Amino acid sequence: MTVRVRFAPSPTGMFHVGGARSALQNWIFAKQQGGVFVLRVEDTDAARNKPEWTEGILSALEWIGIARDTYEGPYFQSAYAGEHRAAAGRLYDAGRAYYCDCTREAVQARTGSQYQGYDGFCRDRGLPPGEGRALRFRTPDEGTTVVVDLIRGEPTFENKLIEDFVIARGDGSPVFLLANVVDDLTMGITHVIRAEEHLPNTPKQQLLWDALGVKPPVWAHVPVVVNEKRQKLSKRRDKVALEAYRDEGYLAAAMRNYLMLLGWAPSGDREIVPWSVIEEEFRLTEVNPSPAFFDEKKLRAFNGEYIRALPVDEFVAACRPWLTGTGTIAPPPWQPEEFDADAFAAVAPLAQTRIAVLSEIVPNVDFLFLADPLIDEAAWAKAMKEGAAELLDAAVAGYTALESWDAESLKSTLEAVGAERGLKLGKAQAPVRVAVTGRTVGLPLFESLEVLGRERTLARLRAARLRLV
C-alpha cells in the first residue's frame, strides 16, 4: 500500500506558521515512506476564500522548500461537491442519517440551555428531504469510538456523548466533517497528520468512515502551537503569517529547521542541524503531544546563526532584494541606480556578523548609498556635545593630510586627535560616526570610511561641523 498524506489548508488569509509546520511534517513523512504528499485546498467557503490567498499558499510552500513538482495537486475541495452529496445520500439511504427541521431556537427552548447539544428530536420522525431540512448523522447510542493516534495513543470517546451532528445543511451543501472525510476517501489518504485542534472532530469523522464502509486512515494529531502566554497562536493577536517572516528577511532554511522543532527534536544536544538530518531522523511517533511554544526570539537567534553561516557571496545575493527594492514590503531610502554593488560587497562580511534578519541590512549600510546620511536626532544629541566641533575640525585636518586612505591610517589619525583632547578612541569616534553614518552604532567605523571614500567622508564631516556653528 502506498502511503498518501495530505495537507488541506483553507485560503482564508495569510499562511499560518502552524500550518507550515504541519505541511513539513506531512511532506517529510511521505518522503520517508516513499509515499505521496497531496495538497488539497479546502475552498468551499466562497465568501472567505480569495484566489490570491491560494496562490499565497503555493508560494509560501515553495519558499519553505516544498516545491510544486514534489506533491500531487493542488486539488480543490469545491470540485468534489458531487461526491460529497452522493455520500450524504448513501448515508441517508442506509439509515445512518436523517433529516431534521429543528432550529437552534427550538432546540434551546426544549433543552432550556443554549449550551446543550442537539437533543435528537427528529431522530425517529421519519422526515423526508425538504427545503431547509438539515441532514444529521445517527450516532450510535452505545459503545465507544477509539481513535488510534500515532502521537496520542488511543483517545476514547463515549458515543452517547457525541450528538447527532449535521453532515449536510438545509440547502444540501455538505459541512466540513463530511466533505473532509469524502475527500480523504476519494484521494486514497492513508494517514491524516494534522493539528491537535482537530482531535475533537476525529471521533465524528471516524464514525463517518465506518458508516461509509471504509477503514479510517491512521491518525496523528501534532501539538498545538502556542505563544509565550501559552495561548494558541492567533492571527488576530500574534505574528503568525509565514509570508511576514519571509518578507522581513528570515531564511527559509532557518524557518523550516525551527518549525520542525515545535514538538520534536533531533538526536543529541543540538537544534540547528542540516535539513538532511531532519529528513532522516524525524519520526511521528517521537512527536511530543504537549503544546509547542513558538518563541520568536529563539527563531530570530536561529536566523542569525543561519545568516552567519552563509558563504559571503550567498549573503550578498540574499540581501540584494532589500537593497534594490525588489520583493520587499518597503523600498530602501535610495533609488535603485544609487546602489553600489561593489561598495556593498566590500562591507558585506562586516554586516553579515551584525544582523539577525536580512531586512536589517538597510539601516546598516544606507549611509553608503545616500547623498547625505539619515541623521538620527537622538544620536546627534548624544554625540555632538561640548568639544565635538573642535574634534571634527581636527579630524577633517588629519584626514585631509592622509596620503593613504585605508582603515588603519584612518584609525590611527583619529586616535591621535582624541589623545590630544584626552579622549579614548571610543569617545573620539562618536561625533565622526554620527556625522558620516547618522547613527551611534553600525559597522566598524574605519572600514566604513575606507569604502565611503575620502571625498564623501570629508564632505559629511564638514557638513556636520557647519551644523554645529
Side-chain angles (χ1 to χ4, degrees):
M1 178 185 68
T2 300
V3 167
R4 289 176 63 85
V5 301
R6 50 79 164 171
F7 177 60
S10 297
T12 55
M14 304 294 274
F15 193 30
H16 196 292
V17 291
R21 187 272 307 262
S22 295
L24 286 169
Q25 291 172 330
N26 274 277
W27 188 64
I28 290 177
F29 181 76
K31 194 171 183 180
Q32 290 175 337
Q33 304 298 318
V36 178
F37 175 88
V38 175
L39 176 62
R40 183 175 74 231
V41 179
E42 299 194 334
D43 63 337
T44 51
D45 188 350
R48 299 178 61 207
N49 297 335
K50 294 182 180 180
E52 58 265 33
W53 286 339
T54 295
E55 185 55 40
I57 291 171
L58 301 179
S59 175
L61 287 174
E62 183 98 24
W63 177 72
I64 206 70
I66 303 178
R68 298 195 188 192
D69 60 357
T70 64
Y71 58 80
E72 189 178 297
Y75 299 113
F76 293 87
Q77 190 173 68
S78 57
Y80 294 86
E83 285 84 350
H84 304 156
R85 290 177 182 269
R90 292 199 301 275
L91 291 171
Y92 174 70
D93 292 340
R96 302 304 302 270
Y98 61 90
Y99 283 97
C100 170
D101 61 2
C102 295
T103 63
R104 182 177 300 175
E105 292 74 18
V107 174
Q108 291 179 1
R110 288 196 301 270
T111 61
S113 171
Q114 61 177 316
Y115 304 108
Q116 188 168 326
Y118 180 65
D119 58 356
F121 180 77
C122 290
R123 189 175 243 241
D124 299 315
R125 292 178 65 197
L127 294 176
E131 185 177 351
R133 291 178 178 175
L135 186 63
R136 289 185 178 273
F137 182 76
R138 191 185 299 272
T139 303
D141 296 318
E142 304 295 335
T144 60
T145 296
V146 179
V147 174
V148 179
D149 192 297
L150 293 179
I151 296 172
R152 300 176 185 281
E154 298 185 356
T156 301
F157 303 83
E158 291 189 61
N159 291 336
K160 66 181 180 180
L161 299 180
I162 303 174
E163 68 176 10
D164 288 356
F165 51 93
V166 173
I167 58 175
R169 304 176 184 88
D171 62 1
S173 61
V175 301
F176 166 79
L177 287 172
L178 180 62
N180 194 264
V181 167
V182 173
D183 290 344
D184 286 345
L185 194 161
T186 303
M187 297 176 187
I189 301 303
T190 62
H191 294 69
V192 172
I193 305 165
R194 60 185 183 183
E196 176 189 357
E197 63 194 69
H198 295 288
L199 182 59
N201 289 328
T202 305
K204 297 178 182 180
Q205 292 181 314
Q206 185 158 309
L207 286 170
L208 287 171
W209 278 87
D210 293 338
L212 290 168
V214 185
K215 182 180 178 181
V218 177
W219 307 102
H221 288 89
V222 299
V224 66
V225 181
V226 298
N227 62 19
E228 60 185 4
K229 296 181 179 179
R230 297 306 187 266
Q231 301 168 321
K232 179 185 170 184
L233 285 186
S234 165
K235 290 183 179 180
R236 295 185 301 274
R237 180 185 57 238
D238 303 302
K239 181 181 174 183
V240 301
L242 188 69
E243 299 94 326
Y245 289 99
R246 178 193 63 193
D247 293 343
E248 190 176 337
Y250 283 81
L251 299 179
M255 176 60 78
R256 67 187 184 188
N257 184 165
Y258 181 71
L259 289 176
M260 287 301 296
L261 298 182
L262 298 177
W264 175 82
S267 61
D269 186 21
R270 54 183 181 164
E271 293 184 311
I272 296 178
V273 294
W275 185 246
S276 59
V277 172
I278 293 176
E279 287 189 318
E280 179 181 349
E281 293 191 1
F282 175 71
R283 297 291 182 272
L284 265 180
T285 53
E286 296 175 0
V287 172
N288 190 322
S290 301
F293 172 34
F294 186 86
D295 186 345
E296 192 175 340
K297 293 179 180 178
K298 185 173 182 179
L299 171 60
R300 180 182 169 84
F302 257 60
N303 203 64
E305 291 288 337
Y306 269 88
I307 285 177
R308 288 187 284 278
L310 288 174
V312 175
D313 59 336
E314 291 185 21
F315 172 71
V316 169
C319 288
R320 196 170 183 86
W322 282 268
L323 299 172
T324 58
T326 57
T328 61
I329 294 176
W334 58 81
Q335 296 302 312
E337 61 270 16
E338 296 175 305
F339 173 66
D340 185 334
D342 291 337
F344 177 63
V347 299
L350 306 175
Q352 188 172 2
T353 63
R354 286 167 168 78
I355 65 174
V357 293
L358 295 176
S359 59
E360 291 177 346
I361 195 63
V362 172
N364 273 276
V365 302
D366 60 3
F367 69 95
L368 288 172
F369 313 123
L370 295 168
D372 300 299
L374 296 173
I375 300 295
D376 179 338
E377 294 302 329
W380 179 275
K382 182 178 180 181
M384 301 302 183
K385 296 181 178 179
E386 183 178 354
E390 292 74 15
L391 187 143
L392 290 176
D393 284 337
V396 168
Y399 285 166
T400 300
L402 277 179
E403 294 184 4
S404 176
W405 190 265
D406 59 80
E408 189 56 42
S409 299
L410 291 163
K411 178 182 177 182
S412 60
T413 298
L414 193 58
E415 278 182 320
V417 167
E420 291 174 359
R421 290 156 180 78
L423 299 175
K424 292 184 178 179
L425 182 60
K427 292 289 186 180
Q429 71 178 6
V432 174
R433 179 183 290 279
V434 172
V436 174
T437 72
R439 297 178 174 87
T440 54
V441 295
L443 304 185
L445 177 61
F446 303 107
E447 287 81 354
S448 298
L449 299 184
E450 180 180 339
V451 174
L452 187 65
R454 183 192 301 267
E455 182 179 341
R456 296 175 73 193
T457 297
L458 291 174
R460 292 183 183 189
L461 291 174
R462 292 181 178 120
R465 176 64 181 87
L466 286 175
R467 183 175 170 179
L468 289 174
V469 173

